[in-house]
Amino acid sequence: MSKKIVVSCEKCGSRNYSLPASSNKTTERLVLKKHCSHCNEHTLHRQTA
């Protein structure tokens, strides 16, 4: 089973996206600018624990 990374919106906190984890180990959390369907705008999404 492959691992997944879940990202949540910084503005409203909803968990909108899940992405497959990369094979290389990184210490920083992933930050992407994605569309949030709850805020209805493009916001920063950060990787959750």
Side-chain angles (χ1 to χ4, degrees):
M1 174 149 315
S2 63
K3 292 200 168 214
K4 291 187 178 179
I5 296 172
V6 178
V7 292
S8 63
C9 177
E10 280 194 335
K11 193 170 184 182
C12 69
S14 65
R15 295 180 176 185
N16 299 329
Y17 295 96
S18 62
L19 308 165
S22 63
S23 60
N24 59 351
K25 303 293 181 186
T26 59
T27 56
E28 307 102 33
R29 291 186 180 239
L30 184 64
V31 178
L32 301 169
K33 191 166 187 178
K34 305 281 276 177
H35 182 266
C36 178
S37 59
H38 300 283
C39 300
N40 201 24
E41 59 187 57
H42 283 84
T43 59
L44 287 179
H45 284 68
R46 291 195 182 268
Q47 178 181 349
T48 59

